[in-house]
């Protein structure tokens, strides 16, 4: 009896739908992911057994290294630019010709920075430095001054002047810069203009997070807290490494 020969057919799978799904997933993760900031000054935080979730966005990061040098950073570039313009229009107006909006190259360099840690009088020279190694070393050597004295006229006090440090002025300017950005987004939304954030899930103010090295001098840490309290900033988070129970 003759055997029936089964005809073999090639199997073909259409991969187009899978490719579409992969592209959509990749696009989603790229747009929603929060990338780790490349901090020039890194610290090893102390351990604790308290587990509290730290916000991944809308934070004002205060970093204190082992030698007590202080640095500021935030995840919004536009916030840094607003802060710079605020300081140039008021307390550091004498540097406006050097760091104002007309100096696009220096401004672009400033916006690329991830940490602020240079005295204002040295900021122009720091931004003009082309060697990444020299800039990194300079940043590690300086830090924002906590003991600088900047007098601002105030007719409501007996002396007629308020006294701030550069650290305090940057903190105030960064927080106000974020508020300005948030209000701009609200105005655009009210006008029906497209915005790239969801205001329902976006905090309306920066949250201060302090990250100090486990070997940071206590005196410097206490000074930072005192400086914050002097400008009515008494709410902040202390960042530590979570230590599991043994």
């Amino acid at each position: 009896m003759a055997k029936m020969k089964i005809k073999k057919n090639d199997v073909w799978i259409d991969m187009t739908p899978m490719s579409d799904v992969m592209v959509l997933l990749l696009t989603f993760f790229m747009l929603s992911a929060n990338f780790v900031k490349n901090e020039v000054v890194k610290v090893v935080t102390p351990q604790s057994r308290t587990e509290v979730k730290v916000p991944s966005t809308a934070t004002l990061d205060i970093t204190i290294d082992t030698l007590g040098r202080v640095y500021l950073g935030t995840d919004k570039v536009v916030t840094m630019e607003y802060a710079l313009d605020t300081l140039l229009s008021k307390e550091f107006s004498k540097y406006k010709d050097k760091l104002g909006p007309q100096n696009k190259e220096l401004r672009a360099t400033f916006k690329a920075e991830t940490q602020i840690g240079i005295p204002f009088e040295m900021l122009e020279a720091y931004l003009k430095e082309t060697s990444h190694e020299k800039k990194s070393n300079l940043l590690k050597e300086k830090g924002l001054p906590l003991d600088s004295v900047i007098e601002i006229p105030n007719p409501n006090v007996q002396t007629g002047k308020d006294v701030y440090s550069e650290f305090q002025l940057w903190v105030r300017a960064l927080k106000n810069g974020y508020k300005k950005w948030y209000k701009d987004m609200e105005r655009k939304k009210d006008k029906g203009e497209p915005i790239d954030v969801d205001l329902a899930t976006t905090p309306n103010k920066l949250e201060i997070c302090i990250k100090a090295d486990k070997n940071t001098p206590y005196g410097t840490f206490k000074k930072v807290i005192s400086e914050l309290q002097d400008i009515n900033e008494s709410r902040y988070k202390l960042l530590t490494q979570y230590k599991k129970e043994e």
Side-chain angles (χ1 to χ4, degrees):
M1 182 176 177
K3 294 182 179 180
M4 184 180 292
K5 191 174 182 179
I6 301 174
K7 186 179 179 180
K8 294 182 179 180
N9 295 321
D10 293 334
V11 178
W12 181 78
I13 301 175
D14 186 2
M15 299 294 292
T16 304
M18 184 176 291
S19 300
D20 291 341
V21 171
M22 291 299 295
V23 171
L24 289 172
L25 287 173
L26 181 61
T27 303
F28 169 77
F29 287 120
M30 288 179 64
L31 294 176
S32 61
N34 293 311
F35 296 97
V36 177
K37 287 173 280 188
N38 182 26
E39 297 178 329
V40 178
V41 179
K42 300 183 183 297
V43 298
V44 179
T45 55
Q47 294 183 333
S48 72
R49 288 188 169 88
T50 302
E51 189 175 12
V52 179
K53 187 176 181 181
V54 177
S56 57
T57 60
T59 60
L60 173 54
D61 303 313
I62 301 175
T63 303
I64 314 173
D65 71 1
T66 54
L67 297 179
R69 290 170 294 217
V70 180
Y71 306 87
L72 295 176
T74 184
D75 59 327
K76 287 251 177 247
V77 173
V78 66
T79 299
M80 293 178 61
E81 189 172 18
Y82 282 154
L84 178 62
D85 287 336
T86 297
L87 295 178
L88 289 174
S89 65
K90 296 179 180 179
E91 295 84 7
F92 296 99
S93 57
K94 63 180 180 181
Y95 299 103
K96 193 170 185 177
D97 292 338
K98 299 177 180 179
L99 297 170
Q102 70 277 10
N103 299 293
K104 295 181 180 179
E105 188 174 344
L106 286 186
R107 302 271 292 198
T109 304
F110 175 78
K111 289 190 288 185
E113 296 292 314
T114 55
Q115 289 182 315
I116 301 170
I118 294 291
F120 217 99
E121 63 181 4
M122 300 177 61
L123 187 56
E124 181 192 14
Y126 169 78
L127 295 175
K128 285 183 176 179
E129 179 58 62
T130 57
S131 170
H132 177 74
E133 183 179 358
K134 288 182 179 179
K135 287 184 70 174
S136 178
N137 290 337
L138 187 61
L139 192 64
K140 292 176 182 178
E141 289 173 3
K142 297 300 179 181
L144 286 176
L146 293 174
D147 54 357
S148 54
V149 177
I150 300 169
E151 295 183 343
I152 301 174
N154 185 345
N156 298 321
V157 296
Q158 186 174 2
T159 59
K161 294 180 180 178
D162 288 331
V163 178
Y164 297 95
S165 66
E166 282 193 34
F167 167 76
Q168 291 174 318
L169 292 178
W170 272 112
V171 169
R172 289 200 320 171
L174 285 166
K175 294 205 70 175
N176 289 334
Y178 184 86
K179 288 180 182 178
K180 184 178 185 301
W181 168 82
Y182 192 90
K183 288 180 179 178
D184 287 346
M185 293 297 103
E186 285 184 320
R187 281 193 291 267
K188 287 183 177 180
K189 183 180 178 181
D190 293 340
K191 292 179 180 179
E193 298 178 10
I195 57 176
D196 57 357
V197 294
D198 181 7
L199 293 181
T201 59
T202 303
N204 60 3
K205 62 180 180 180
L206 286 180
E207 183 168 3
I208 296 177
C209 295
I210 302 176
K211 183 168 60 175
D213 193 276
K214 61 182 180 180
N215 295 319
T216 294
Y218 175 72
T220 304
F221 181 81
K222 185 178 180 181
K223 176 67 173 175
V224 168
I225 300 299
S226 176
E227 292 273 285
L228 291 174
Q229 291 175 339
D230 287 345
I231 55 174
N232 299 319
E233 295 291 347
S234 300
R235 297 179 64 86
Y236 44 80
K237 282 186 169 65
L238 302 178
L239 304 188
T240 58
Q241 298 182 63
Y242 179 62
K243 183 178 181 180
K244 294 182 179 179
E245 296 286 349
E246 298 180 354

